Amino acid sequence: MRKAIIIEDETRAQIYLKGIIEMHIPTIEICAVCDDLPSGIIAIRKHKPDLVFLDIEMPKYNGLEIVNFFDETELNFGIIFTTAYNQYAIQAFKTSALDYLLKPIDVDELKACINRYETKQKTISENIIKANQLLQPNTKIAIPDGNNLLMIDTKDILYLKADNSYTSIHLKNGKTHVTSRFLKNFEDHLKNNSNFFRCHKSYIINIDYVKSYSKSNGGTIILDNHIEIPVSQDKSEELIAFFNKIER
């Protein structure tokens, strides 16, 4: 038997993952289920597991910060990250050779991850650091404002709109800033920030503020404050991939 720990802040996800492991992987014993990274660290030191199923997006600490709690010699257990990240951010995990399960977790993918763990062991600390660097978003953008540069936090941006050689930046507080920069310049700057998606030749949206998506009339996104943004036909499938769909 191999010992495993689940670190996951959502109760339903904890129950589901524990259940499918116990049902389909009888060689793994779940010795602890933890709600956050600090309690998970305590459980790891206590139980010394062979494997840790580690959620990434959790309150206070994200799963990738586990490298801050152990030195390289202590990271002698396997880690399978569980994540709802979109397809672009997933590339960071592939590039860094980290094992991951995309939520909602598929049983066959779970078995494949376990098989990979059984057949190869590797030093993971450098890989986690690399993935964290790839996923680290640019938190601010600078735009000209007279003789000054105005620093805007990206989390405050609802969307950006192109207007010929200008771009208007629309904030969640209702303010708008216009700058003489092409939208492509901002797209390049935000390419490593998984919250932003160019849904149309004239628009980049912050997916954190998407309320709904309609396929009618060529495709339309409704943002907070009931703002409607068009979606190009060739971008609709990419947009849907940003979100977890409930399978019938």
Side-chain angles (χ1 to χ4, degrees), residues 25 28 51 53 80 110-119:
I25 318 288
I28 290 182
L51 187 60
F53 294 90
I80 296 177
L110 170 64
K111 291 178 179 179
C113 270
I114 298 301
N115 288 337
R116 287 194 295 270
Y117 162 72
E118 295 289 355
T119 56

Side-chain angles (χ1 to χ4, degrees), residues 13-195:
Q14 292 174 354
I15 295 171
Y16 176 73
L17 180 55
K18 185 173 185 292
I20 61 173
I21 291 172
E22 292 175 343
M23 182 178 297
H24 297 281
I25 318 288
T27 56
I28 290 182
E29 175 194 3
I30 304 299
C31 54
V33 178
C34 307
D35 295 323
D36 55 27
L37 188 58
S39 61
I41 299 303
I42 294 172
I44 289 170
R45 296 191 185 280
K46 176 181 178 181
H47 296 285
K48 302 187 185 307
D50 302 293
L51 187 60
V52 174
F53 294 90
L54 180 56
D55 187 21
I56 294 177
E57 292 187 297
M58 294 183 291
K60 295 184 180 179
Y61 297 95
N62 73 63
L64 294 170
E65 292 180 272
I66 192 170
V67 294
N68 297 329
F69 293 85
F70 297 99
D71 62 34
E72 290 189 11
T73 60
E74 292 177 307
L75 280 170
N76 55 6
F77 46 88
I79 296 179
I80 296 177
F81 289 99
T82 58
T83 178
Y85 271 123
N86 64 65
Q87 60 180 342
Y88 301 105
I90 283 300
Q91 188 60 41
F93 294 95
K94 293 180 179 178
T95 301
S96 305
L98 294 174
D99 273 326
Y100 66 93
L101 289 168
L102 188 61
K103 296 179 181 179
I105 294 172
D106 177 81
V107 173
D108 290 335
E109 289 296 324
L110 170 64
K111 291 178 179 179
C113 270
I114 298 301
N115 288 337
R116 287 194 295 270
Y117 162 72
E118 295 289 355
T119 56
K120 67 177 181 179
Q121 295 293 318
K122 56 181 178 289
T123 301
I124 60 173
S125 58
E126 291 183 1
N127 295 343
I128 295 174
I129 292 170
K130 182 177 180 181
N132 202 12
Q133 290 172 340
L134 290 170
L135 288 168
Q136 186 66 38
N138 296 316
T139 58
K140 290 190 177 183
I141 58 175
I143 63 171
D145 181 31
N147 294 325
N148 302 313
L149 285 175
L150 181 63
M151 308 302 292
I152 297 178
D153 199 314
T154 54
K155 72 176 186 297
D156 294 329
I157 298 174
L158 276 175
Y159 67 98
L160 302 93
K161 180 182 179 182
D163 184 10
N164 295 320
S165 60
Y166 290 84
T167 297
S168 57
I169 303 168
H170 299 258
L171 307 183
K172 64 181 182 180
N173 63 7
K175 292 183 178 180
T176 300
H177 298 280
V178 179
T179 180
S180 57
R181 297 289 185 276
F182 289 103
L183 189 64
K184 182 65 167 62
N185 297 132
F186 289 100
E187 182 181 23
D188 292 340
H189 185 79
L190 295 168
K191 64 183 178 181
N192 291 327
N193 191 321
S194 59
N195 282 352

Side-chain angles (χ1 to χ4, degrees), residues 162 183-184 187 196-205 235:
L183 189 64
K184 182 65 167 62
E187 182 181 23
F196 287 89
F197 176 69
R198 189 163 186 173
C199 63
H200 186 276
K201 65 180 182 180
S202 299
Y203 291 91
I204 295 174
I205 60 167
K235 293 288 187 176

Side-chain angles (χ1 to χ4, degrees), residues 86-88 197-199 207 231-243:
N86 64 65
Q87 60 180 342
Y88 301 105
F197 176 69
R198 189 163 186 173
C199 63
I207 63 170
V231 179
S232 298
Q233 186 174 1
D234 62 340
K235 293 288 187 176
S236 59
E237 290 187 5
E238 291 182 54
L239 174 67
I240 293 172
F242 268 85
F243 305 96

